[in-house]
Amino acid sequence: MKENTYSREKQILVSLITSVVILGCYALYVYHRYISVNPGIINDLKFWGKAFLVLIPLSILAQIIIHIVFAIINKIVTNEDIPVLSDERDKLIELKTIRLSHWIFIGGFLLAMGSQAAGMEPWIMFLTLILSGFTATIVSEIARIIFYRKGF
Amino acid sequence: MSRCLISNNIRKLRFYTHEMTQQELADRTGVTRQTIIAIENGKYSPTLDLAFRIARVFNTQLEEVFSYMPEQNPDKE
């Protein structure tokens, strides 16, 4: 039982850590490269547009590369394969976590729109959007681990 | 977490089928071993399709593998 459970959980943990590291590194890079040099840029819509356009493909690419590297290292160290089969239970867990992340992101989206309706600066909206997307990812990955461990 | 109301005899049936392993049952029903474990432990109720596939592996009726236990209302007792 355990090796299969652990493989799934390890996969989810890698995904979780990757998400944190990518966003953290990217936020630091953007801050040092642009915001610390020109603080006024945070209200520039073009800046946020570019930031989003780079962040999304970058995180997808990084996730793919890190998962491949993890699968290779895991095979070398533990001699066990990462489960590729996704059965009805996996799909049900995936659906449940997608629904959870969807609601969290919708909440963040409403907050972001609310900030604009309340007359706040544009950077608050963009930051709220990024943070809600990030929170949705983290919560859904944690929920996946809980569903795998405790059932539902 | 909702309580699973479906109990099963998979462990017993595996024992009587030449000590079939969970992995073997998983392979023959097309799911992961983790799912078989979750079903055996009452943590997951399989779909009707999977339930029939499991029963077919043991060459038995569905009712021999799974049974529904309605939740007892303590007030009525």
Side-chain angles (χ1 to χ4, degrees), chain B residues 20-32:
Chain B
M20 183 189 285
T21 62
Q22 290 170 329
Q23 186 61 59
E24 202 180 334
L25 179 59
D27 292 341
R28 290 176 69 176
T29 51
V31 295
T32 60

Side-chain angles (χ1 to χ4, degrees), chain A residues 1-5 8 85 87-90 92 146-152, chain B residues 1-2 22-23 30-35 37-38 43-47 50 53:
Chain A
M1 170 202 174
K2 288 299 174 191
E3 79 239 18
N4 208 344
T5 311
R8 280 270 185 239
L85 175 70
D87 62 18
E88 58 174 48
R89 186 165 171 262
D90 296 320
L92 196 58
I146 293 170
F147 285 144
Y148 272 116
R149 280 195 182 172
K150 296 194 172 175
F152 49 88
Chain B
M1 311 276 171
S2 60
Q22 290 170 329
Q23 186 61 59
V31 295
T32 60
R33 188 174 160 215
Q34 198 182 358
T35 297
I37 292 158
K43 287 182 176 177
Y44 173 64
S45 300
T47 59
L50 177 57
R53 272 186 278 147

